[in-house]
Amino acid sequence: AQSVTQLDSQVPVFEEAPVELRCNYSSSVSVYLFWYVQYPNQGLQLLLKYLSGSTLVKGINGFEAEFNKSQTSFHLRKPSVHISDTAEYFCAVTGGSNYKLTFGKGTLLTVNP
Amino acid sequence: KAGVTQTPRYLIKTRGQQVTLSCSPISGHRSVSWYQQTPGQGLQFLFEYFSETQRNKGNFPGRFSGRQFSNSRSEMNVSTLELGDSALYLCASSSVRGLGETQYFGPGTRLLVL
């Protein structure tokens, strides 16, 4: 079984500031990791995913994440946020014979002017 | 290419009723999964269908059921609705069934049980 912990339920930042959203996972098997974003009244959109290879993964809208196997983490970063980045961000994992996505509780990113 | 569509988008029901939600995956996608999203429990996996067969099921009571048709469209049904079933129900599709495959989500159906 896998589990995901998103350490911050809310992260307020000012526009053009850098941001890091933290995600830790637990699994007894090799995992695949995902970050999704959900804008108000919408479904989830994939930002990026880690399958294998380079531990630094670049995604859409200027986001990137780094897979750290020893720390079982997959933190999401953006060097400079915009008002339009205000949304809820979900970290998710699959692995083993389990094709379902196991999600964290989400982090609400609020970008203030 | 059109995205995942879900109908209806909003639904109000009363306790004890049943409801059917529909999901049309992206054209060519054969795998469909359903998730329930609530403020308290977050996003929880309901079930996964591939080639008209349920391949995986989450930890939900038997009141929750689903099916997939030969054109990959899927429906989920909830019988004897309870207040706690109020949630956003999200459908996701992927082209094939496999670890690491991107699941593309629809906008969801928001169900309110009174």
mmCIF file of all heavy atoms in Angstrom, chain A residues 47-84:
data_model
loop_
_atom_site.group_PDB
_atom_site.id
_atom_site.type_symbol
_atom_site.label_atom_id
_atom_site.label_comp_id
_atom_site.label_asym_id
_atom_site.label_seq_id
_atom_site.Cartn_x
_atom_site.Cartn_y
_atom_site.Cartn_z
ATOM 1 N N LEU A 47 0.381 18.396 -13.850
ATOM 2 C CA LEU A 47 1.490 19.346 -13.957
ATOM 3 C C LEU A 47 2.763 18.657 -14.431
ATOM 4 O O LEU A 47 3.465 19.157 -15.300
ATOM 5 C CB LEU A 47 1.782 19.982 -12.595
ATOM 6 C CG LEU A 47 0.880 21.096 -12.109
ATOM 7 C CD1 LEU A 47 1.267 21.491 -10.694
ATOM 8 C CD2 LEU A 47 0.965 22.308 -13.039
ATOM 9 N N LEU A 48 3.067 17.522 -13.813
ATOM 10 C CA LEU A 48 4.268 16.770 -14.166
ATOM 11 C C LEU A 48 4.212 15.406 -13.501
ATOM 12 O O LEU A 48 3.377 15.171 -12.625
ATOM 13 C CB LEU A 48 5.536 17.518 -13.713
ATOM 14 C CG LEU A 48 5.589 18.060 -12.288
ATOM 15 C CD1 LEU A 48 5.929 16.980 -11.284
ATOM 16 C CD2 LEU A 48 6.581 19.209 -12.171
ATOM 17 N N LYS A 49 5.093 14.518 -13.965
ATOM 18 C CA LYS A 49 5.181 13.194 -13.357
ATOM 19 C C LYS A 49 6.609 12.677 -13.430
ATOM 20 O O LYS A 49 7.378 13.052 -14.321
ATOM 21 C CB LYS A 49 4.225 12.215 -14.038
ATOM 22 C CG LYS A 49 4.528 11.928 -15.509
ATOM 23 C CD LYS A 49 3.473 10.960 -16.070
ATOM 24 C CE LYS A 49 3.751 10.614 -17.531
ATOM 25 N NZ LYS A 49 2.709 9.697 -18.093
ATOM 26 N N TYR A 50 6.933 11.830 -12.453
ATOM 27 C CA TYR A 50 8.227 11.157 -12.429
ATOM 28 C C TYR A 50 8.004 9.662 -12.626
ATOM 29 O O TYR A 50 7.261 9.030 -11.869
ATOM 30 C CB TYR A 50 8.942 11.391 -11.090
ATOM 31 C CG TYR A 50 10.191 10.551 -10.975
ATOM 32 C CD1 TYR A 50 11.358 10.913 -11.652
ATOM 33 C CD2 TYR A 50 10.196 9.369 -10.245
ATOM 34 C CE1 TYR A 50 12.492 10.135 -11.589
ATOM 35 C CE2 TYR A 50 11.329 8.580 -10.173
ATOM 36 C CZ TYR A 50 12.472 8.960 -10.845
ATOM 37 O OH TYR A 50 13.589 8.178 -10.790
ATOM 38 N N LEU A 51 8.680 9.136 -13.644
ATOM 39 C CA LEU A 51 8.598 7.702 -13.896
ATOM 40 C C LEU A 51 9.938 7.036 -13.607
ATOM 41 O O LEU A 51 10.007 6.004 -12.928
ATOM 42 C CB LEU A 51 8.178 7.439 -15.347
ATOM 43 C CG LEU A 51 6.829 8.044 -15.771
ATOM 44 C CD1 LEU A 51 6.515 7.666 -17.211
ATOM 45 C CD2 LEU A 51 5.715 7.616 -14.835
ATOM 46 N N SER A 52 11.006 7.601 -14.149
ATOM 47 C CA SER A 52 12.350 7.072 -13.935
ATOM 48 C C SER A 52 13.330 8.077 -14.529
ATOM 49 O O SER A 52 12.935 9.099 -15.080
ATOM 50 C CB SER A 52 12.521 5.705 -14.607
ATOM 51 O OG SER A 52 12.399 5.827 -16.008
ATOM 52 N N GLY A 53 14.609 7.800 -14.374
ATOM 53 C CA GLY A 53 15.614 8.652 -14.997
ATOM 54 C C GLY A 53 15.955 9.855 -14.148
ATOM 55 O O GLY A 53 16.035 9.763 -12.917
ATOM 56 N N SER A 54 16.144 10.987 -14.792
ATOM 57 C CA SER A 54 16.541 12.203 -14.088
ATOM 58 C C SER A 54 15.571 12.508 -12.958
ATOM 59 O O SER A 54 14.355 12.467 -13.133
ATOM 60 C CB SER A 54 16.580 13.384 -15.054
ATOM 61 O OG SER A 54 16.788 14.595 -14.351
ATOM 62 N N THR A 55 16.137 12.840 -11.813
ATOM 63 C CA THR A 55 15.280 13.083 -10.647
ATOM 64 C C THR A 55 14.639 14.452 -10.678
ATOM 65 O O THR A 55 13.723 14.725 -9.911
ATOM 66 C CB THR A 55 16.104 12.946 -9.351
ATOM 67 O OG1 THR A 55 17.201 13.860 -9.400
ATOM 68 C CG2 THR A 55 16.608 11.521 -9.182
ATOM 69 N N LEU A 56 15.101 15.335 -11.554
ATOM 70 C CA LEU A 56 14.488 16.659 -11.701
ATOM 71 C C LEU A 56 13.540 16.607 -12.895
ATOM 72 O O LEU A 56 13.944 16.360 -14.022
ATOM 73 C CB LEU A 56 15.558 17.725 -11.907
ATOM 74 C CG LEU A 56 15.042 19.167 -11.993
ATOM 75 C CD1 LEU A 56 14.372 19.562 -10.684
ATOM 76 C CD2 LEU A 56 16.175 20.114 -12.341
ATOM 77 N N VAL A 57 12.291 16.865 -12.605
ATOM 78 C CA VAL A 57 11.266 16.772 -13.632
ATOM 79 C C VAL A 57 10.674 18.155 -13.892
ATOM 80 O O VAL A 57 10.313 18.854 -12.937
ATOM 81 C CB VAL A 57 10.128 15.825 -13.194
ATOM 82 C CG1 VAL A 57 9.079 15.711 -14.287
ATOM 83 C CG2 VAL A 57 10.675 14.457 -12.819
ATOM 84 N N LYS A 58 10.597 18.526 -15.136
ATOM 85 C CA LYS A 58 10.002 19.820 -15.477
ATOM 86 C C LYS A 58 8.594 19.599 -16.024
ATOM 87 O O LYS A 58 8.333 18.647 -16.770
ATOM 88 C CB LYS A 58 10.874 20.541 -16.496
ATOM 89 C CG LYS A 58 12.226 20.940 -15.922
ATOM 90 C CD LYS A 58 12.984 21.867 -16.827
ATOM 91 C CE LYS A 58 14.353 22.211 -16.242
ATOM 92 N NZ LYS A 58 14.243 22.926 -14.946
ATOM 93 N N GLY A 59 7.698 20.506 -15.625
ATOM 94 C CA GLY A 59 6.322 20.370 -16.041
ATOM 95 C C GLY A 59 5.813 21.612 -16.737
ATOM 96 O O GLY A 59 6.580 22.451 -17.190
ATOM 97 N N ILE A 60 4.496 21.710 -16.759
ATOM 98 C CA ILE A 60 3.890 22.863 -17.421
ATOM 99 C C ILE A 60 3.875 24.074 -16.504
ATOM 100 O O ILE A 60 4.044 23.943 -15.285
ATOM 101 C CB ILE A 60 2.453 22.528 -17.887
ATOM 102 C CG1 ILE A 60 1.560 22.209 -16.685
ATOM 103 C CG2 ILE A 60 2.464 21.382 -18.886
ATOM 104 C CD1 ILE A 60 0.086 22.077 -17.037
ATOM 105 N N ASN A 61 3.656 25.238 -17.104
ATOM 106 C CA ASN A 61 3.508 26.491 -16.363
ATOM 107 C C ASN A 61 4.715 26.834 -15.484
ATOM 108 O O ASN A 61 4.564 27.542 -14.486
ATOM 109 C CB ASN A 61 2.242 26.460 -15.483
ATOM 110 C CG ASN A 61 0.981 26.241 -16.297
ATOM 111 O OD1 ASN A 61 0.962 26.463 -17.503
ATOM 112 N ND2 ASN A 61 -0.066 25.786 -15.645
ATOM 113 N N GLY A 62 5.896 26.354 -15.850
ATOM 114 C CA GLY A 62 7.104 26.716 -15.132
ATOM 115 C C GLY A 62 7.365 25.939 -13.854
ATOM 116 O O GLY A 62 8.298 26.255 -13.114
ATOM 117 N N PHE A 63 6.561 24.939 -13.562
ATOM 118 C CA PHE A 63 6.760 24.124 -12.366
ATOM 119 C C PHE A 63 7.799 23.026 -12.604
ATOM 120 O O PHE A 63 7.960 22.541 -13.721
ATOM 121 C CB PHE A 63 5.434 23.485 -11.922
ATOM 122 C CG PHE A 63 4.501 24.437 -11.257
ATOM 123 C CD1 PHE A 63 3.525 25.098 -11.986
ATOM 124 C CD2 PHE A 63 4.590 24.675 -9.892
ATOM 125 C CE1 PHE A 63 2.664 25.992 -11.368
ATOM 126 C CE2 PHE A 63 3.727 25.549 -9.265
ATOM 127 C CZ PHE A 63 2.764 26.209 -10.008
ATOM 128 N N GLU A 64 8.477 22.646 -11.539
ATOM 129 C CA GLU A 64 9.385 21.519 -11.574
ATOM 130 C C GLU A 64 9.333 20.807 -10.226
ATOM 131 O O GLU A 64 8.887 21.375 -9.223
ATOM 132 C CB GLU A 64 10.828 21.951 -11.870
ATOM 133 C CG GLU A 64 11.439 22.873 -10.839
ATOM 134 C CD GLU A 64 12.861 23.268 -11.216
ATOM 135 O OE1 GLU A 64 13.162 23.401 -12.424
ATOM 136 O OE2 GLU A 64 13.667 23.463 -10.285
ATOM 137 N N ALA A 65 9.768 19.554 -10.222
ATOM 138 C CA ALA A 65 9.777 18.782 -8.980
ATOM 139 C C ALA A 65 11.013 17.907 -8.966
ATOM 140 O O ALA A 65 11.522 17.500 -10.010
ATOM 141 C CB ALA A 65 8.515 17.934 -8.864
ATOM 142 N N GLU A 66 11.470 17.607 -7.767
ATOM 143 C CA GLU A 66 12.646 16.767 -7.620
ATOM 144 C C GLU A 66 12.310 15.524 -6.812
ATOM 145 O O GLU A 66 11.788 15.617 -5.692
ATOM 146 C CB GLU A 66 13.779 17.524 -6.935
ATOM 147 C CG GLU A 66 15.079 16.721 -6.854
ATOM 148 C CD GLU A 66 16.302 17.586 -6.896
ATOM 149 O OE1 GLU A 66 16.199 18.778 -6.561
ATOM 150 O OE2 GLU A 66 17.372 17.061 -7.257
ATOM 151 N N PHE A 67 12.615 14.381 -7.388
ATOM 152 C CA PHE A 67 12.398 13.104 -6.723
ATOM 153 C C PHE A 67 13.611 12.792 -5.866
ATOM 154 O O PHE A 67 14.742 12.808 -6.351
ATOM 155 C CB PHE A 67 12.198 11.999 -7.759
ATOM 156 C CG PHE A 67 12.182 10.605 -7.193
ATOM 157 C CD1 PHE A 67 11.216 10.229 -6.274
ATOM 158 C CD2 PHE A 67 13.126 9.658 -7.590
ATOM 159 C CE1 PHE A 67 11.189 8.943 -5.750
ATOM 160 C CE2 PHE A 67 13.114 8.377 -7.072
ATOM 161 C CZ PHE A 67 12.143 8.013 -6.151
ATOM 162 N N ASN A 68 13.376 12.519 -4.582
ATOM 163 C CA ASN A 68 14.458 12.164 -3.671
ATOM 164 C C ASN A 68 14.101 10.838 -3.016
ATOM 165 O O ASN A 68 13.264 10.795 -2.100
ATOM 166 C CB ASN A 68 14.662 13.270 -2.626
ATOM 167 C CG ASN A 68 15.898 13.032 -1.777
ATOM 168 O OD1 ASN A 68 16.176 11.900 -1.374
ATOM 169 N ND2 ASN A 68 16.649 14.086 -1.508
ATOM 170 N N LYS A 69 14.730 9.777 -3.500
ATOM 171 C CA LYS A 69 14.360 8.440 -3.027
ATOM 172 C C LYS A 69 14.744 8.231 -1.559
ATOM 173 O O LYS A 69 13.977 7.638 -0.796
ATOM 174 C CB LYS A 69 15.037 7.376 -3.890
ATOM 175 C CG LYS A 69 14.564 5.964 -3.599
ATOM 176 C CD LYS A 69 15.168 4.979 -4.576
ATOM 177 C CE LYS A 69 14.662 3.566 -4.301
ATOM 178 N NZ LYS A 69 15.247 2.586 -5.271
ATOM 179 N N SER A 70 15.889 8.748 -1.152
ATOM 180 C CA SER A 70 16.340 8.524 0.223
ATOM 181 C C SER A 70 15.445 9.239 1.233
ATOM 182 O O SER A 70 15.236 8.755 2.341
ATOM 183 C CB SER A 70 17.788 8.986 0.387
ATOM 184 O OG SER A 70 17.890 10.375 0.136
ATOM 185 N N GLN A 71 14.903 10.376 0.820
ATOM 186 C CA GLN A 71 14.007 11.121 1.709
ATOM 187 C C GLN A 71 12.537 10.866 1.384
ATOM 188 O O GLN A 71 11.662 11.472 2.016
ATOM 189 C CB GLN A 71 14.320 12.623 1.632
ATOM 190 C CG GLN A 71 15.728 12.969 2.112
ATOM 191 C CD GLN A 71 15.961 14.454 2.218
ATOM 192 O OE1 GLN A 71 15.033 15.262 2.061
ATOM 193 N NE2 GLN A 71 17.202 14.845 2.460
ATOM 194 N N THR A 72 12.292 9.994 0.443
ATOM 195 C CA THR A 72 10.925 9.673 -0.038
ATOM 196 C C THR A 72 10.108 10.955 -0.209
ATOM 197 O O THR A 72 8.990 11.090 0.313
ATOM 198 C CB THR A 72 10.198 8.686 0.912
ATOM 199 O OG1 THR A 72 10.078 9.264 2.228
ATOM 200 C CG2 THR A 72 10.931 7.376 0.994
ATOM 201 N N SER A 73 10.687 11.871 -0.963
ATOM 202 C CA SER A 73 10.010 13.148 -1.181
ATOM 203 C C SER A 73 9.909 13.459 -2.667
ATOM 204 O O SER A 73 10.677 12.937 -3.495
ATOM 205 C CB SER A 73 10.749 14.275 -0.464
ATOM 206 O OG SER A 73 12.013 14.513 -1.060
ATOM 207 N N PHE A 74 8.975 14.329 -2.977
ATOM 208 C CA PHE A 74 8.754 14.774 -4.366
ATOM 209 C C PHE A 74 8.177 16.186 -4.275
ATOM 210 O O PHE A 74 7.010 16.427 -4.537
ATOM 211 C CB PHE A 74 7.803 13.813 -5.075
ATOM 212 C CG PHE A 74 7.691 14.020 -6.568
ATOM 213 C CD1 PHE A 74 8.813 14.037 -7.380
ATOM 214 C CD2 PHE A 74 6.445 14.166 -7.172
ATOM 215 C CE1 PHE A 74 8.710 14.212 -8.754
ATOM 216 C CE2 PHE A 74 6.328 14.339 -8.542
ATOM 217 C CZ PHE A 74 7.461 14.363 -9.333
ATOM 218 N N HIS A 75 9.029 17.127 -3.910
ATOM 219 C CA HIS A 75 8.583 18.508 -3.685
ATOM 220 C C HIS A 75 8.429 19.261 -4.998
ATOM 221 O O HIS A 75 9.250 19.126 -5.906
ATOM 222 C CB HIS A 75 9.571 19.243 -2.782
ATOM 223 C CG HIS A 75 9.743 18.606 -1.426
ATOM 224 N ND1 HIS A 75 8.760 17.866 -0.816
ATOM 225 C CD2 HIS A 75 10.799 18.620 -0.575
ATOM 226 C CE1 HIS A 75 9.187 17.444 0.352
ATOM 227 N NE2 HIS A 75 10.435 17.876 0.530
ATOM 228 N N LEU A 76 7.417 20.088 -5.042
ATOM 229 C CA LEU A 76 7.100 20.886 -6.246
ATOM 230 C C LEU A 76 7.606 22.308 -6.031
ATOM 231 O O LEU A 76 7.401 22.885 -4.961
ATOM 232 C CB LEU A 76 5.581 20.897 -6.471
ATOM 233 C CG LEU A 76 5.058 21.661 -7.677
ATOM 234 C CD1 LEU A 76 5.426 20.925 -8.971
ATOM 235 C CD2 LEU A 76 3.536 21.838 -7.582
ATOM 236 N N ARG A 77 8.212 22.883 -7.074
ATOM 237 C CA ARG A 77 8.774 24.227 -6.937
ATOM 238 C C ARG A 77 8.435 25.076 -8.161
ATOM 239 O O ARG A 77 8.238 24.562 -9.262
ATOM 240 C CB ARG A 77 10.304 24.171 -6.795
ATOM 241 C CG ARG A 77 10.798 23.369 -5.627
ATOM 242 C CD ARG A 77 12.313 23.472 -5.506
ATOM 243 N NE ARG A 77 12.800 22.625 -4.421
ATOM 244 C CZ ARG A 77 13.359 21.431 -4.588
ATOM 245 N NH1 ARG A 77 13.512 20.941 -5.806
ATOM 246 N NH2 ARG A 77 13.768 20.726 -3.545
ATOM 247 N N LYS A 78 8.399 26.381 -7.906
ATOM 248 C CA LYS A 78 8.306 27.346 -8.998
ATOM 249 C C LYS A 78 9.081 28.581 -8.561
ATOM 250 O O LYS A 78 8.875 29.074 -7.457
ATOM 251 C CB LYS A 78 6.849 27.704 -9.316
ATOM 252 C CG LYS A 78 6.717 28.582 -10.563
ATOM 253 C CD LYS A 78 5.288 28.734 -11.014
ATOM 254 C CE LYS A 78 5.230 29.566 -12.297
ATOM 255 N NZ LYS A 78 3.854 29.710 -12.831
ATOM 256 N N PRO A 79 9.980 29.072 -9.402
ATOM 257 C CA PRO A 79 10.842 30.178 -8.993
ATOM 258 C C PRO A 79 10.113 31.517 -8.840
ATOM 259 O O PRO A 79 10.566 32.367 -8.082
ATOM 260 C CB PRO A 79 11.893 30.251 -10.099
ATOM 261 C CG PRO A 79 11.308 29.540 -11.262
ATOM 262 C CD PRO A 79 10.341 28.547 -10.732
ATOM 263 N N SER A 80 9.011 31.694 -9.553
ATOM 264 C CA SER A 80 8.304 32.969 -9.496
ATOM 265 C C SER A 80 6.834 32.717 -9.821
ATOM 266 O O SER A 80 6.500 32.333 -10.941
ATOM 267 C CB SER A 80 8.911 33.952 -10.506
ATOM 268 O OG SER A 80 8.176 35.158 -10.543
ATOM 269 N N VAL A 81 5.972 32.912 -8.832
ATOM 270 C CA VAL A 81 4.554 32.574 -9.029
ATOM 271 C C VAL A 81 3.750 33.773 -9.514
ATOM 272 O O VAL A 81 4.124 34.925 -9.307
ATOM 273 C CB VAL A 81 3.922 32.009 -7.740
ATOM 274 C CG1 VAL A 81 4.564 30.687 -7.375
ATOM 275 C CG2 VAL A 81 4.011 33.015 -6.597
ATOM 276 N N HIS A 82 2.629 33.442 -10.152
ATOM 277 C CA HIS A 82 1.701 34.464 -10.634
ATOM 278 C C HIS A 82 0.366 34.303 -9.931
ATOM 279 O O HIS A 82 0.059 33.231 -9.391
ATOM 280 C CB HIS A 82 1.514 34.306 -12.150
ATOM 281 C CG HIS A 82 2.797 34.370 -12.911
ATOM 282 N ND1 HIS A 82 3.499 35.536 -13.107
ATOM 283 C CD2 HIS A 82 3.508 33.395 -13.518
ATOM 284 C CE1 HIS A 82 4.593 35.272 -13.800
ATOM 285 N NE2 HIS A 82 4.633 33.981 -14.063
ATOM 286 N N ILE A 83 -0.431 35.339 -9.994
ATOM 287 C CA ILE A 83 -1.771 35.301 -9.408
ATOM 288 C C ILE A 83 -2.537 34.083 -9.944
ATOM 289 O O ILE A 83 -3.255 33.404 -9.199
ATOM 290 C CB ILE A 83 -2.560 36.583 -9.725
ATOM 291 C CG1 ILE A 83 -1.871 37.810 -9.146
ATOM 292 C CG2 ILE A 83 -4.000 36.468 -9.227
ATOM 293 C CD1 ILE A 83 -2.009 37.966 -7.660
ATOM 294 N N SER A 84 -2.337 33.798 -11.210
ATOM 295 C CA SER A 84 -3.071 32.704 -11.860
ATOM 296 C C SER A 84 -2.662 31.318 -11.356
ATOM 297 O O SER A 84 -3.313 30.327 -11.691
ATOM 298 C CB SER A 84 -2.872 32.763 -13.377
ATOM 299 O OG SER A 84 -1.487 32.669 -13.694
#
